[in-house]
Amino acid sequence: MPRVKTHLVTWDEVVDWSRNLARLVRESGFRPDLVVAVSRGGFVPARLVCDFLGVENLASIQSQHWTEAAKAGERAILKYPYRLDASGLNVLVVDDIVDTGETLRLARDYVRDNWGPREVKTAALQWISPVAKYRPDYYYLEVKEWVWFQYPWTRLEDTYQFIKRMMSEAYRETGRREWGFSEVVEGFREWYGIDVGEAYYREALRVLVEKGVVDYDAARDRYVLRV
Ligand code: AMP
């Protein structure tokens, strides 16, 4: 059993889900003049929704809640607030997933209260219904059991944070500090139940060395957790 329930999302799934999300918007009769991507997770879905709806106007705002993979921050904050004149426009605010709902709700409120649009609606590829305090106007998939979705746009970030967590836990539980490359890969698969592929494990370990989280012992080809 993996320690963190994780689902690997493929690029093909992202395109398929975005196409279906756009279809739901179209079928509802809502015609957005402007799409707003909630940065950073909403960028790719928002761009695809623009493509599928034929919308040329795409802006973005950064609303952030989750500071680290599978760990929520205290509350969502709007990182770079700015004014945009959206008077008379129908606006669709798009994110990848609604978990607690803080991120998308904050973005929606900000656009509604500061940009002067005619109407604002929200859309997400996924909505985690049992935990979300906010339900987007449109969602393609209802998630009934909490899972961390490993999207292609956070693959490296998630991988190095997950490896760091795995190594730190192992050290706490057994005092183990040293890992060979294949042990990292096996451990990762066991812990998270997914496989992100060799290139991502290598990149993630490079990042962890760069960040001073692990040292690479080239002579012994081992990664050593700094404690
Ligand atoms: P929230 O404010 O809790 O609704 O969190 C929404 C943002 O955090 C999304 O834009 C995602 O980028 C990220 N996020 C939250 N929960 C998950 C999850 N279960 N899987 C993947 N990303 C998530």
Side-chain angles (χ1 to χ4, degrees):
M1 267 295 277
R3 294 213 195 181
V4 181
K5 277 187 140 190
T6 309
H7 176 85
L8 192 77
V9 179
T10 66
W11 283 110
D12 284 349
E13 282 175 314
V14 170
V15 176
D16 182 53
W17 299 353
S18 301
R19 191 183 65 249
N20 278 292
L21 184 62
R23 175 179 55 77
L24 295 174
V25 174
R26 195 171 45 250
E27 285 173 0
S28 77
F30 185 62
R31 296 279 173 267
D33 305 294
L34 170 68
V35 168
V36 176
V38 179
S39 171
R40 297 172 292 166
F43 266 118
V44 176
R47 180 63 187 92
L48 288 166
V49 164
C50 280
D51 194 27
F52 287 118
L53 290 178
V55 174
E56 278 187 17
N57 304 321
L58 174 60
S60 159
I61 47 172
Q62 185 153 14
S63 175
Q64 197 169 18
H65 185 208
W66 294 67
T67 46
E68 200 182 298
K71 280 200 177 155
E74 294 269 292
R75 61 190 184 89
I77 51 159
L78 207 92
K79 279 184 98 176
Y80 305 105
Y82 68 99
R83 295 287 169 121
L84 182 157
D85 181 9
S87 46
L89 303 183
N90 284 333
V91 177
L92 183 67
V93 183
V94 177
D95 206 354
D96 47 8
I97 187 164
V98 170
D99 190 320
T100 65
E102 302 273 349
T103 304
L104 189 55
R105 188 163 50 186
L106 179 68
R108 191 272 322 258
D109 289 354
Y110 183 78
V111 168
R112 185 195 57 203
D113 300 342
N114 296 278
W115 292 6
R118 181 161 60 203
E119 198 171 355
V120 184
K121 289 196 182 269
T122 55
L125 301 178
Q126 292 166 291
W127 172 54
I128 312 187
S129 55
V131 290
K133 285 174 258 162
Y134 171 74
R135 177 180 163 153
D137 297 300
Y138 307 98
Y139 57 88
Y140 177 55
L141 296 173
E142 177 178 353
V143 178
K144 297 211 168 121
E145 235 178 274
W146 193 91
V147 170
W148 182 260
F149 289 93
Q150 209 309 286
Y151 297 112
W153 43 88
T154 53
R155 198 145 292 164
L156 179 56
E157 218 174 280
D158 287 359
T159 303
Y160 76 70
Q161 288 172 2
F162 279 173
I163 291 175
K164 181 181 166 189
R165 219 176 292 170
M166 173 180 82
M167 287 181 167
S168 307
E169 275 295 300
Y171 175 69
R172 217 175 45 78
E173 287 169 11
T174 67
R176 175 183 185 180
R177 289 180 60 201
E178 290 195 14
W179 297 70
F181 179 76
S182 54
E183 291 167 343
V184 171
V185 173
E186 273 162 37
F188 186 95
R189 286 185 193 147
E190 220 176 279
W191 263 63
Y192 303 106
I194 58 169
D195 186 4
V196 295
E198 177 168 352
Y200 276 101
Y201 298 119
R202 298 246 176 238
E203 285 284 330
L205 287 164
R206 175 190 58 73
V207 172
L208 290 174
V209 170
E210 254 172 41
K211 287 182 179 292
V213 175
V214 299
D215 291 309
Y216 177 56
D217 179 345
R220 296 166 57 241
D221 194 18
R222 309 282 286 170
Y223 292 90
V224 184
L225 181 70
R226 275 200 200 172
V227 292

